[in-house]
């Protein structure tokens, strides 16, 4: 089995790798928030007696978090 090594960054490449890592982390956060939103949407669609206004408020807050994370990606 071949083993892969990470190449040493040349001048200026280290900064690019750092950006990619931070973008990857931001996308992972967004993925987690979207999964939470999917769960809340499923609860809202169920026959369980829930306060849908509260669920909508939670969805709105999660959407706002996603917007802030996305705005921070450059």
């Amino acid at each position: 089995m071949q083993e892969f090594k990470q190449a040493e960054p040349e001048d200026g490449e280290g900064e690019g790798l750092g950006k990619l890592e931070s973008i990857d982390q931001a996308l992972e956060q967004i993925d987690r928030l979207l999964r939470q939103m999917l769960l809340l949407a499923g609860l809202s669609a169920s026959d369980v007696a829930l306060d849908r206004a509260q669920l909508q408020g939670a969805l709105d807050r999660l959407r706002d978090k996603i917007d802030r994370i996305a705005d921070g990606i450059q």
Side-chain angles (χ1 to χ4, degrees), residues 15-16 18-24 26-27 30 67-74:
E15 183 179 321
K19 275 188 178 181
L20 288 177
E21 289 175 0
S22 65
I23 290 171
D24 190 45
L27 292 175
I30 290 172
D67 288 342
R68 283 192 302 275
I69 293 168
D71 288 342
I73 296 174
Q74 294 188 24

Side-chain angles (χ1 to χ4, degrees), residues 11-57:
D11 290 341
E13 283 186 5
E15 183 179 321
L17 291 175
K19 275 188 178 181
L20 288 177
E21 289 175 0
S22 65
I23 290 171
D24 190 45
Q25 290 172 352
L27 292 175
E28 287 177 10
Q29 285 181 314
I30 290 172
D31 182 57
R32 282 192 300 273
L33 293 169
L34 288 171
R35 290 178 191 274
Q36 290 177 11
M37 291 176 80
L38 183 62
L39 177 65
L40 292 175
L43 286 172
S44 179
S46 71
D47 291 334
V48 178
L50 298 169
D51 184 353
R52 285 185 171 70
Q54 268 189 315
L55 287 174
Q56 185 61 51

